């Protein structure tokens, strides 16, 4: 189990979760989300009962501990894997959740948002993907509304890679640049939102959105061939959503 989790974490780090295994997936048609679980046994978890994204609603009040952010290093390279545009970060940026340290591996985006809040979709959603030393995953999700341009995104996307391209970042991109000032969050148990849809992921969805300009959102979409890259929401089933 741990080995699987570590393998997933490594493929997340590389950004080519589908490369090498020959099981192409997509966001529409025969290889789209409805069929992910059938594409290969490795994607069987996509039919699981604790999948992401979800419509966050019916919240249960809980004393959620603040997430301890220790982001000091930032982006190393930017890549476009055809599914998203992703920034891989230098080692050493961490969060502490449940007394466990999770290291930031990468962050990437979805247009429109994957998770909904009270049924509301957002123009874009950022995912900051972390793994602990055993390969357990924690994702911090940041909703993005249309408004003022985001400076960190502007610097990163000045080097927008084409599909299949990975570029060394030439300016400092701190993940702090895509965090809102208020880090209150919702929490639920979910999965990766892309194959292999591995479950057991701690989802921490920040309540306060950040902004990006319409031009920035359009620039992202153009980079992934103008297709939306949001998996539809999945059944919540028995899971509590904490606030
Ligand atoms: Zn994501």
């Amino acid at each position: 189990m741990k080995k699987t989790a570590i393998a997933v974490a490594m493929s997340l780090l590389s950004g080519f979760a589908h490369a090498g295994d020959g099981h192409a997936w997509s966001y529409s048609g025969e290889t789209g989300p409805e069929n992910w679980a059938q594409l290969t046994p490795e994607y069987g978890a996509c039919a699981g009962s604790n999948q992401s994204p979800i419509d966050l609603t019916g919240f249960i009040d809980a004393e959620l501990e603040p997430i301890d952010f220790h982001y000091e290093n930032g982006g190393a390279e930017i890549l476009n894997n055809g599914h998203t545009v992703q920034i891989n970060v230098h080692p050493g940026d961490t969060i502490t959740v449940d007394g466990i340290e999770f290291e930031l591996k990468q962050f990437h985006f979805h247009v429109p948002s994957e998770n909904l809040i009270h049924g509301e979709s957002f123009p874009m959603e950022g995912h900051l993907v972390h793994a602990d030393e055993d390969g357990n995953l924690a994702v911090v999700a940041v909703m993005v509304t249309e408004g003022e341009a985001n400076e960190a995104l502007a610097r990163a996307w000045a080097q927008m890679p084409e599909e299949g391209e990975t570029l060394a970042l030439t300016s400092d991109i701190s993940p702090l640049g895509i965090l809102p000032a208020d880090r209150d969050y919702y929490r639920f148990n979910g999965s990766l939102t892309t194959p292999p849809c591995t479950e057991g992921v701690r989802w921490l969805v920040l309540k306060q959105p950040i902004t990006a300009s319409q031009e920035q959102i359009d620039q992202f979409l153009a980079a992934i061939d103008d297709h939306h890259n949001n998996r539809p929401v999945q059944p919540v089933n028995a899971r509590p959503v904490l606030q």
Side-chain angles (χ1 to χ4, degrees), residues 27 84 106 108-110 114 125-127 129 139 193-194 203:
Y27 285 99
T84 191
Q106 47 100 339
H108 63 266
F109 298 86
H110 299 268
E114 296 206 293
E125 178 175 344
H127 288 160
V129 181
V139 179
T193 67
T194 56
W203 275 88

Side-chain angles (χ1 to χ4, degrees), residues 209-233:
I210 62 166
T211 65
S213 67
Q214 189 61 53
E215 289 73 19
Q216 290 185 310
I217 296 165
D218 291 344
Q219 189 188 1
F220 173 84
L221 267 181
I224 56 167
D225 208 19
D226 283 314
H227 69 75
H228 286 171
N229 67 338
N230 64 309
R231 184 190 195 190
V233 290

